[in-house]
Amino acid sequence: MIFCKKRCLRYVAFSLLFVCCYAVNGQHLIHYQKAMDNSWADIRNIKNHHPANDIAKVKMSMLDIPHIAEVKDSLARAEYLKLSFDTQKELDTLCALLPLFSNLKAISLEGFSYFLDPANTLDTLTLPDNFYKLQHLTAIQFDRKSKINVKNEIARLSTLPNLRYFILSASDSYDLPENIQELKNLEGIAFTYGENLAGIKLPPALLEIKIMASNGQPDLNNALKMIADPAKLKYLHIAYFDLDDAFQTVIRFPALQQLHLDGNNIQDLGAVLANFKHSKDLQHLEVVNGSIATMRDIYTFRNLQSLKISNNRDSLLIPESISKLTKLTDLDLSSNNMKTLPNGLYKLRNMQRLSLAYNKLKSLSEDLGLLSRLDRLDLQQNRLVALPKSINKMQRLRSLYLSANPLVQLPEMTNLTKLATLHAAECNLKSLPVTIGAMQNLHDLHLEDNYIEKLPESITQLTNLKTLLLGRNLLNDLPPDIDLLSQLEQLSIHSNGIRALPASIGQVSKLRLLNISHNALMGLPETLGSLSNLRSLAAQNDEPINEAVYEHFQPAHRKERPQPRRMNAVQRLNSFPKNLQAWQHIESIDLTGNDFASFDILQSLFTIPNDGFSVHLKNAHIKSLPAVGWRHFLGKKLDLLGNAISELPAEMPEAPYLSALDLRRNNLPKLPKNQNSYAGKRSDLLLYFEQVNLLKEADLPQDGAMVAALVEKSNQYAVHDKDYVSSFELYQKALRIDSSLVLKLYRIRNLAELHYHTQHYKQAVDLFTQAIQQDTVGMRILNFIVPDYVYRAKSHLALKDSSSAIQDYVMLATRFDASYWPQAAMLYEQTAQPEKAKLAYQKAIKHYQNRIDAPQITKDEKELLMLCLLELYIVSNRFDVAAQYANTMENDLTKTDLVPIFAYLKAINDLASGKQTNFSMADVTSTVSKRWGYDLVLDWLSYTKLPDNQTARIKDITSSMISKRLK
C-alpha cells in the first residue's frame, strides 16, 4: 500500500508538466482550479507554524476566529483563501477580516446548500462591501452549490480591476448566471453546462474555458456556441460530454494551444480531433478517462509538444504514424492496458519525458536506446521481465521509474552518469549490478520489496546519495564503510534479517530519517547517539504483517514469486545507546514492540537535549518507570500503551513539555478510577496527575485550557462511565475557574442530563427548556428532541409538578413520538382525570395498530410492535382484552429472543387479573431481546391499586427479566 501512495505522487508530478508548460505562456485557469481543488490548511491548525512553513493556501471558518490574533502577522503571505460559511452573518464576519490578506490572488467561497431552489433568491446570501476591496484578486471560485446569489453580484464583480478567472465548481448548470457576459475582462472560466444555458453568451475576452457536462448528456455544440469569440481561444477543456464518432462542429479554434478531453466516452479519437484540424498551433493535447478503440489522424497536429492519453478502459493501440509528431517532447501513455508499442514511437528523437506506466507491456525494443534525449522514463507497473541493454545509451536520463515489474536483474547502467532518481521497488531483484557505484549523480535509490541478499561493495561510491530505501529484502548486513555515503539523509532497511549495524553509521552525519524496524537486531551501536541531524528513528519490532497477507495486495506481476520466500525477523531490542546528547533535532522515536524489561530505556531518553519530540514505547515489556530525573525528559508525547507498569513515579509531572501520555493496558490501579488511561493535551495530563494524586488541585492552572479539560473529563464520566457524581464535581471545578466558558463548552443537553441525574431538578428543567428551544428549530433530530422532553417531564415529576409533566408528554406524543401517549395516560390517572387517561390510551392503541397494519412493515418489527400493544392493554388495566390478544398472537411469534418477553407479559397479566401463573425464570433458556424496556411496567406498578402480593410478584419477575437481559 506504500507503493500506491508513491504511485499517486509520481502521477501528479507527471501531470503537472502540462500545467507548468502552459503557465509559462501566461495561461492560468488550470493552475488556479487545480490549486483551489486541492487541500487547504485551516488557520486554527497553522497557528504554531514555523516561519519557513508554506501558508500560501489557507481556509477560514468561524472556528478559526479565536486563532486569528495568533497568526495575523503571517496572513499577508497567503495567496489563496477559502471561506467556509453557512449564514449571512458568518459571511460578513469572515469578510471583515479580508484586509489581513493583503496579497490575496484567489478566493474560494464555500457557502453551499443541498436544497437551494435556483428560482428562489430570497434565502441566498450577498457579498459584503469588504469583499470588493480586494483590488489584487485575480481568481474567484464559487465552490459547490453556492448560497450566494451570483447573478446579483456580477455587476460589482466587474469592478474588481484584476479579476480574470471565474470558476464554478458545482455540477449544476444553474450556477452560471445569465449576465456573465458583463465580466468583460475575464480571461478564463470553468462551469457546468446544461441545456438551460443555451443562448447565453460568455464574456468576449476569454482565452481559456473549461466546460463540464451536467446530467442528461447536453449537446456540446450548443455549449460551444456560448463562446463569443472562438478565434481567440487558447485553452479548451471539455469534460463528460458524450462524443461519439458522429460528433461534428463548425466552430473553429485557430489559436488553440491546449486541448483537454476528459471522460467523454470517445472511441474514435481521430474522428473527434478532426473537428479541431484548423487548430494548427495546438501544442498540448490531453485525452483521459475514455474508451478509445482507434486514434487515426492524430499526426496532423505537427506542432504538438506534449501528448497525454491515459486511463483508457480498453487496450489502446498506438499507430505507427505517431512518428510524425516530431516536435513531441512529452508523451504520457499511462494506464491504457497496452501490450505492445509501435516502432514509430522510437523515432520520436526529441522526446524528453516518456511515461508508459500502468500498462501490460512484457518487453521493450532495443530501439528504446534511440531516445537519447530522454530526461525522464516511467515504466512502473508493467509486466517487464528484463530491460533492453540499450538503456545504457540514454546518457541524459535523470529519472528512471521501474517499480512493480517482475525484473530479476537490472542491466548495466554505467553510462547513466546523470541519473539522479532510480526507483525499482516491488520487483523480483535478487542482486544489484556490481557497477552501480558508477552512477555518481544518483540521489534517490528506491529498492524496497525485492529479494536482494547482499549489497555490492561499490554502493558506497554513491557519494551524492540522499535517499536509500531497502526495506523488505533479504539483507543480513550493511557495508562496514557506510559512512562513505556522506550525503545520505534517509535510510530504510526495515523488514530484513540484519543482525548488527556497523559502528560507522554514527558518522553518516546528515542522516535525518532512519528505519531499522523488524530485523534481527538485539542492540544498537553507541555511535548511533552521534547522529546530530537525526529527526526520526523507527525501530519497531512488533509482529510485522503476514507474508501471505502482504503478497495478496501485490499486483499481477507478483503471482510468480521467486524463492526463497522471505522470512520476517521478529528479534527484539533489549538495549539502546545510553548517551543521546547529540540528538538535538530529534522529532520522533518509535521503539514499539521491543523488550526493555531489564533495560531502563527512559534513562537514555532523559539525555536528549531537544524539546517536543514523541516517543512510542508501546508493548515494550516495561515494568517500572524511573523514580527520578523526569525534569530532564523534554519529550512532548510518551506512548507507554500495553506495558506492565503498576506505579507512577512521584516526579513524573516534572517533565516540562509532556503533553500526551498513553498508559492504557497497563497494571495501574483501576479503582476508584481507572488509571490506565490516555491524556492527549497538556491540560488533560495535568488533570490526570491531579486525579492520581501526583499533583494537588491548587497546582492546576486556572485557565481556559483547564476548563476545557475539566468539561471533557466531566462529559466522559457522565456519558461513558455513568458516574454522575464525579462528573458534577468536575463541572463545579470548571465553574469556579470560568463559568461563562463552561456554558459555551458544555452541550446544553448534556448539562441538563447531568443536573437531572444529580437531582438538581429545577436547574435541569431550565436547561432542558433551552435544549428543546435549540433542538426544535431548523433541522429536527428526534434522538435529541425525545430525550429532552422525557427528562424534563421526569424533572417536573421529581418537583411534584404533574401538570407540567403531562404537558411535556402530550406535546411529545402529539408532535414527535406517539408511543409516549401511555406515559401521559398514566399521569392523567394519577391526577384523577380518567376521561383524559382513557382518550390517551386510545390514541396509543390506535398508533400501534396502524403501525402493525402498515404494508411495508417487516415481520421482525411487526412482532415487536404486537408485544408493545399487548403491554399497552395490560398497563391500561384491560386485562381481559390483553388475555384475548395474547391468545391470538401466540402462534405468530417466531423471533426466539421475543418469546421470553411474551411469556413474561402473559404472566404479569395473569397476576394482575388475580390468577396464578406458572412462569419461572428457569424456563427462560433463550436470549432475551435487548430492544425491550421495562420502564412502562415499572411506572404502572408505582401507582396501580393491585394487591400488595400481586405487585410484589410482578416486580420480582420484572427484576429477573432485567437481570437476564443484562447477562
Side-chain angles (χ1 to χ4, degrees), residues 800-817:
K800 311 298 183 184
D801 185 357
S802 298
S803 176
S804 295
I806 291 173
Q807 290 179 15
D808 276 346
Y809 280 124
V810 169
M811 177 66 72
L812 181 57
T814 303
R815 295 184 59 189
F816 303 108
D817 189 346

PDB file of all heavy atoms in Angstrom, residues 800-817:
ATOM      1  N   LYS A 800     -42.716  17.378  41.893  1.00  0.00           N
ATOM      2  CA  LYS A 800     -44.148  17.243  42.211  1.00  0.00           C
ATOM      3  C   LYS A 800     -45.026  18.110  41.311  1.00  0.00           C
ATOM      4  O   LYS A 800     -46.124  18.520  41.707  1.00  0.00           O
ATOM      5  CB  LYS A 800     -44.425  17.597  43.690  1.00  0.00           C
ATOM      6  CG  LYS A 800     -43.509  16.926  44.702  1.00  0.00           C
ATOM      7  CD  LYS A 800     -43.644  15.417  44.657  1.00  0.00           C
ATOM      8  CE  LYS A 800     -42.774  14.742  45.739  1.00  0.00           C
ATOM      9  NZ  LYS A 800     -42.816  13.269  45.662  1.00  0.00           N
ATOM     10  N   ASP A 801     -44.581  18.365  40.116  1.00  0.00           N
ATOM     11  CA  ASP A 801     -45.354  19.182  39.170  1.00  0.00           C
ATOM     12  C   ASP A 801     -45.896  18.267  38.071  1.00  0.00           C
ATOM     13  O   ASP A 801     -45.385  18.219  36.952  1.00  0.00           O
ATOM     14  CB  ASP A 801     -44.447  20.275  38.583  1.00  0.00           C
ATOM     15  CG  ASP A 801     -45.210  21.248  37.676  1.00  0.00           C
ATOM     16  OD1 ASP A 801     -46.426  21.034  37.473  1.00  0.00           O
ATOM     17  OD2 ASP A 801     -44.581  22.187  37.152  1.00  0.00           O
ATOM     18  N   SER A 802     -46.956  17.530  38.408  1.00  0.00           N
ATOM     19  CA  SER A 802     -47.524  16.565  37.466  1.00  0.00           C
ATOM     20  C   SER A 802     -48.134  17.252  36.249  1.00  0.00           C
ATOM     21  O   SER A 802     -48.098  16.716  35.137  1.00  0.00           O
ATOM     22  CB  SER A 802     -48.588  15.714  38.165  1.00  0.00           C
ATOM     23  OG  SER A 802     -48.023  14.976  39.217  1.00  0.00           O
ATOM     24  N   SER A 803     -48.687  18.412  36.450  1.00  0.00           N
ATOM     25  CA  SER A 803     -49.338  19.123  35.342  1.00  0.00           C
ATOM     26  C   SER A 803     -48.341  19.444  34.227  1.00  0.00           C
ATOM     27  O   SER A 803     -48.618  19.217  33.042  1.00  0.00           O
ATOM     28  CB  SER A 803     -49.981  20.408  35.865  1.00  0.00           C
ATOM     29  OG  SER A 803     -50.544  21.148  34.798  1.00  0.00           O
ATOM     30  N   SER A 804     -47.165  19.952  34.590  1.00  0.00           N
ATOM     31  CA  SER A 804     -46.151  20.270  33.579  1.00  0.00           C
ATOM     32  C   SER A 804     -45.620  19.005  32.920  1.00  0.00           C
ATOM     33  O   SER A 804     -45.331  18.984  31.715  1.00  0.00           O
ATOM     34  CB  SER A 804     -44.996  21.043  34.218  1.00  0.00           C
ATOM     35  OG  SER A 804     -45.433  22.299  34.688  1.00  0.00           O
ATOM     36  N   ALA A 805     -45.504  17.927  33.712  1.00  0.00           N
ATOM     37  CA  ALA A 805     -45.035  16.665  33.140  1.00  0.00           C
ATOM     38  C   ALA A 805     -46.022  16.149  32.110  1.00  0.00           C
ATOM     39  O   ALA A 805     -45.630  15.657  31.038  1.00  0.00           O
ATOM     40  CB  ALA A 805     -44.836  15.632  34.247  1.00  0.00           C
ATOM     41  N   ILE A 806     -47.328  16.251  32.432  1.00  0.00           N
ATOM     42  CA  ILE A 806     -48.350  15.831  31.470  1.00  0.00           C
ATOM     43  C   ILE A 806     -48.235  16.645  30.190  1.00  0.00           C
ATOM     44  O   ILE A 806     -48.297  16.096  29.074  1.00  0.00           O
ATOM     45  CB  ILE A 806     -49.764  15.979  32.079  1.00  0.00           C
ATOM     46  CG1 ILE A 806     -49.966  14.940  33.195  1.00  0.00           C
ATOM     47  CG2 ILE A 806     -50.835  15.831  31.001  1.00  0.00           C
ATOM     48  CD1 ILE A 806     -51.258  15.125  33.966  1.00  0.00           C
ATOM     49  N   GLN A 807     -48.049  17.938  30.312  1.00  0.00           N
ATOM     50  CA  GLN A 807     -47.917  18.795  29.122  1.00  0.00           C
ATOM     51  C   GLN A 807     -46.748  18.349  28.246  1.00  0.00           C
ATOM     52  O   GLN A 807     -46.851  18.318  27.015  1.00  0.00           O
ATOM     53  CB  GLN A 807     -47.732  20.253  29.549  1.00  0.00           C
ATOM     54  CG  GLN A 807     -48.959  20.892  30.166  1.00  0.00           C
ATOM     55  CD  GLN A 807     -48.704  22.330  30.596  1.00  0.00           C
ATOM     56  OE1 GLN A 807     -47.709  22.948  30.184  1.00  0.00           O
ATOM     57  NE2 GLN A 807     -49.568  22.854  31.449  1.00  0.00           N
ATOM     58  N   ASP A 808     -45.633  17.999  28.868  1.00  0.00           N
ATOM     59  CA  ASP A 808     -44.463  17.553  28.098  1.00  0.00           C
ATOM     60  C   ASP A 808     -44.749  16.258  27.356  1.00  0.00           C
ATOM     61  O   ASP A 808     -44.422  16.111  26.170  1.00  0.00           O
ATOM     62  CB  ASP A 808     -43.253  17.370  29.024  1.00  0.00           C
ATOM     63  CG  ASP A 808     -42.523  18.681  29.273  1.00  0.00           C
ATOM     64  OD1 ASP A 808     -42.784  19.644  28.544  1.00  0.00           O
ATOM     65  OD2 ASP A 808     -41.697  18.728  30.206  1.00  0.00           O
ATOM     66  N   TYR A 809     -45.379  15.280  28.067  1.00  0.00           N
ATOM     67  CA  TYR A 809     -45.658  14.001  27.401  1.00  0.00           C
ATOM     68  C   TYR A 809     -46.689  14.167  26.287  1.00  0.00           C
ATOM     69  O   TYR A 809     -46.581  13.524  25.235  1.00  0.00           O
ATOM     70  CB  TYR A 809     -46.128  12.961  28.419  1.00  0.00           C
ATOM     71  CG  TYR A 809     -44.997  12.327  29.192  1.00  0.00           C
ATOM     72  CD1 TYR A 809     -44.969  12.349  30.590  1.00  0.00           C
ATOM     73  CD2 TYR A 809     -43.950  11.687  28.527  1.00  0.00           C
ATOM     74  CE1 TYR A 809     -43.927  11.753  31.292  1.00  0.00           C
ATOM     75  CE2 TYR A 809     -42.904  11.087  29.225  1.00  0.00           C
ATOM     76  CZ  TYR A 809     -42.898  11.132  30.613  1.00  0.00           C
ATOM     77  OH  TYR A 809     -41.864  10.551  31.302  1.00  0.00           O
ATOM     78  N   VAL A 810     -47.684  15.024  26.510  1.00  0.00           N
ATOM     79  CA  VAL A 810     -48.699  15.252  25.464  1.00  0.00           C
ATOM     80  C   VAL A 810     -48.057  15.933  24.254  1.00  0.00           C
ATOM     81  O   VAL A 810     -48.315  15.551  23.102  1.00  0.00           O
ATOM     82  CB  VAL A 810     -49.866  16.092  26.017  1.00  0.00           C
ATOM     83  CG1 VAL A 810     -50.790  16.554  24.884  1.00  0.00           C
ATOM     84  CG2 VAL A 810     -50.659  15.288  27.041  1.00  0.00           C
ATOM     85  N   MET A 811     -47.214  16.918  24.506  1.00  0.00           N
ATOM     86  CA  MET A 811     -46.522  17.598  23.404  1.00  0.00           C
ATOM     87  C   MET A 811     -45.621  16.610  22.647  1.00  0.00           C
ATOM     88  O   MET A 811     -45.601  16.588  21.405  1.00  0.00           O
ATOM     89  CB  MET A 811     -45.683  18.750  23.947  1.00  0.00           C
ATOM     90  CG  MET A 811     -44.870  19.480  22.882  1.00  0.00           C
ATOM     91  SD  MET A 811     -45.886  20.370  21.679  1.00  0.00           S
ATOM     92  CE  MET A 811     -46.469  21.728  22.715  1.00  0.00           C
ATOM     93  N   LEU A 812     -44.912  15.785  23.379  1.00  0.00           N
ATOM     94  CA  LEU A 812     -44.012  14.811  22.768  1.00  0.00           C
ATOM     95  C   LEU A 812     -44.803  13.805  21.930  1.00  0.00           C
ATOM     96  O   LEU A 812     -44.429  13.501  20.784  1.00  0.00           O
ATOM     97  CB  LEU A 812     -43.229  14.092  23.871  1.00  0.00           C
ATOM     98  CG  LEU A 812     -42.199  13.041  23.441  1.00  0.00           C
ATOM     99  CD1 LEU A 812     -41.160  13.628  22.511  1.00  0.00           C
ATOM    100  CD2 LEU A 812     -41.520  12.450  24.684  1.00  0.00           C
ATOM    101  N   ALA A 813     -45.911  13.292  22.489  1.00  0.00           N
ATOM    102  CA  ALA A 813     -46.704  12.293  21.775  1.00  0.00           C
ATOM    103  C   ALA A 813     -47.427  12.892  20.573  1.00  0.00           C
ATOM    104  O   ALA A 813     -47.593  12.241  19.544  1.00  0.00           O
ATOM    105  CB  ALA A 813     -47.711  11.655  22.732  1.00  0.00           C
ATOM    106  N   THR A 814     -47.852  14.144  20.689  1.00  0.00           N
ATOM    107  CA  THR A 814     -48.608  14.783  19.607  1.00  0.00           C
ATOM    108  C   THR A 814     -47.718  15.158  18.431  1.00  0.00           C
ATOM    109  O   THR A 814     -48.066  14.923  17.268  1.00  0.00           O
ATOM    110  CB  THR A 814     -49.320  16.046  20.137  1.00  0.00           C
ATOM    111  OG1 THR A 814     -50.159  15.688  21.237  1.00  0.00           O
ATOM    112  CG2 THR A 814     -50.157  16.686  19.035  1.00  0.00           C
ATOM    113  N   ARG A 815     -46.533  15.696  18.725  1.00  0.00           N
ATOM    114  CA  ARG A 815     -45.712  16.271  17.658  1.00  0.00           C
ATOM    115  C   ARG A 815     -44.582  15.365  17.177  1.00  0.00           C
ATOM    116  O   ARG A 815     -44.155  15.469  16.028  1.00  0.00           O
ATOM    117  CB  ARG A 815     -45.115  17.594  18.136  1.00  0.00           C
ATOM    118  CG  ARG A 815     -46.132  18.690  18.403  1.00  0.00           C
ATOM    119  CD  ARG A 815     -45.442  19.983  18.785  1.00  0.00           C
ATOM    120  NE  ARG A 815     -44.535  20.453  17.745  1.00  0.00           N
ATOM    121  CZ  ARG A 815     -43.682  21.471  17.899  1.00  0.00           C
ATOM    122  NH1 ARG A 815     -43.625  22.105  19.065  1.00  0.00           N
ATOM    123  NH2 ARG A 815     -42.908  21.842  16.915  1.00  0.00           N
ATOM    124  N   PHE A 816     -44.098  14.479  18.043  1.00  0.00           N
ATOM    125  CA  PHE A 816     -42.855  13.787  17.692  1.00  0.00           C
ATOM    126  C   PHE A 816     -42.926  12.255  17.775  1.00  0.00           C
ATOM    127  O   PHE A 816     -42.400  11.576  16.899  1.00  0.00           O
ATOM    128  CB  PHE A 816     -41.706  14.285  18.581  1.00  0.00           C
ATOM    129  CG  PHE A 816     -41.487  15.775  18.501  1.00  0.00           C
ATOM    130  CD1 PHE A 816     -41.831  16.585  19.570  1.00  0.00           C
ATOM    131  CD2 PHE A 816     -40.978  16.347  17.345  1.00  0.00           C
ATOM    132  CE1 PHE A 816     -41.639  17.956  19.488  1.00  0.00           C
ATOM    133  CE2 PHE A 816     -40.785  17.717  17.259  1.00  0.00           C
ATOM    134  CZ  PHE A 816     -41.125  18.533  18.332  1.00  0.00           C
ATOM    135  N   ASP A 817     -43.523  11.703  18.831  1.00  0.00           N
ATOM    136  CA  ASP A 817     -43.474  10.247  19.004  1.00  0.00           C
ATOM    137  C   ASP A 817     -44.718   9.791  19.766  1.00  0.00           C
ATOM    138  O   ASP A 817     -44.809   9.937  20.987  1.00  0.00           O
ATOM    139  CB  ASP A 817     -42.204   9.856  19.764  1.00  0.00           C
ATOM    140  CG  ASP A 817     -41.982   8.351  19.793  1.00  0.00           C
ATOM    141  OD1 ASP A 817     -42.914   7.606  19.466  1.00  0.00           O
ATOM    142  OD2 ASP A 817     -40.867   7.925  20.149  1.00  0.00           O
TER     143      ASP A 817
END
